[in-house]
Amino acid sequence: MKTVTLIISSLFLFMVLGVSAQQHGPQHRGQRGHMNPEEMVKRQVEHMKTELKLNEQQEKQVKDLLTENFKQRGELMKKYQGQRDSVMVNMKKMEEQQNLSLKKILTEEQYKTYLTNQEKRKQEMEKRRKEMMDKRGGQRDGHGDPATVNEDHECTGCGGCDKHK
C-alpha cells in the first residue's frame, strides 16, 4: 500500500510541475515550448526547499537525484516511444526508486510532509481534471455532443451528429 501511495504521489508531483510550467508562460520555457530538464529540476528543488525546509546538503542531494531521474526518463521515453504501457510500468519503477532515495535524504518529518503534500496535490489535480471533463461534456476534444448541443454546428467529423452516424 505504501508503494502504491508513493508511486501515485510521485507521478502527481510531475503532473503538478507540468501544470505549473504551463501557468508561467513562454518566457520560462526552453526550446519548442517546453521547459528544459535543468529548469524543471531547478524549479522542483526550489519548491521542495521551501516546502520541506531542505538544508544545503539535502538540496544538493535532491538536485542530483532529480537530475539523474530526468535523464533516465528521457532515455525511457526514447526507448519505449509509442508504447504507453511499457513506459508506465517503467516509470512506476523509477518513481519507487526515487521515493526510496528521497526517504534516505529527507528526515522522517520532511518525508511525511512530502507525502502529505503529494496527496493534496493529487486530489487537487483530480478535481481540476474532473472540472475540465465536465466543462467539455465528458469528451476529450472539448466539444459536447453536437446532436444535443447545437444541431447546426460546423461539423469536422465529430461522430456525434446525424451526418456522422
Side-chain angles (χ1 to χ4, degrees):
M1 185 66 185
K2 285 183 180 181
T3 304
V4 172
T5 302
L6 293 175
I7 291 169
I8 291 171
S9 64
S10 295
L11 290 173
F12 180 72
L13 174 66
F14 286 96
M15 289 189 309
V16 169
L17 289 173
V19 169
S20 177
Q22 291 174 359
Q23 292 175 350
H24 290 282
Q27 70 273 15
H28 295 290
R29 297 173 190 231
Q31 203 173 24
R32 297 174 59 197
H34 297 287
M35 290 182 71
N36 66 41
E38 292 83 17
E39 290 173 331
M40 291 180 75
V41 167
K42 182 179 177 184
R43 186 178 207 123
Q44 190 173 357
V45 169
E46 284 300 316
H47 180 74
M48 290 177 76
K49 181 180 175 182
T50 303
E51 187 176 78
L52 303 174
K53 298 175 179 60
L54 300 178
N55 62 37
E56 287 183 28
Q57 182 181 4
Q58 288 174 318
E59 184 179 350
K60 182 184 181 331
Q61 290 174 322
V62 168
K63 182 179 179 183
D64 292 344
L65 174 67
L66 295 178
T67 301
E68 181 59 31
N69 191 281
F70 272 103
K71 287 179 186 174
Q72 290 175 356
R73 285 175 190 277
E75 293 168 6
L76 183 73
M77 296 301 276
K78 287 179 185 175
K79 181 177 180 180
Y80 294 107
Q81 192 172 14
Q83 300 175 26
R84 186 172 187 258
D85 291 338
S86 296
V87 169
M88 292 305 292
V89 167
N90 286 292
M91 288 285 231
K92 286 181 183 181
K93 289 178 186 176
M94 287 176 63
E95 293 301 326
E96 289 174 22
Q97 186 60 46
Q98 177 177 312
N99 283 330
L100 288 173
S101 297
L102 275 175
K103 190 172 185 175
K104 292 176 184 175
I105 295 170
L106 303 174
T107 66
E108 189 174 330
E109 187 173 322
Q110 287 172 321
Y111 191 69
K112 285 180 183 177
T113 302
Y114 170 77
L115 293 178
T116 301
N117 292 340
Q118 292 307 325
E119 186 60 31
K120 286 179 189 175
R121 287 188 190 103
K122 176 186 170 204
Q123 291 171 357
E124 290 171 5
M125 195 68 146
E126 184 62 28
K127 181 181 173 186
R128 279 189 233 130
R129 187 191 68 78
K130 187 175 184 330
E131 288 171 357
M132 290 302 292
M133 290 300 286
D134 289 345
K135 281 183 184 178
R136 294 178 178 176
Q139 293 186 358
R140 296 191 70 112
D141 64 358
H143 304 290
D145 181 4
T148 59
V149 174
N150 181 1
E151 291 182 22
D152 295 327
H153 71 286
E154 290 186 34
C155 192
T156 58
C158 63
C161 66
D162 292 332
K163 293 179 185 177
H164 295 99
K165 287 188 177 185

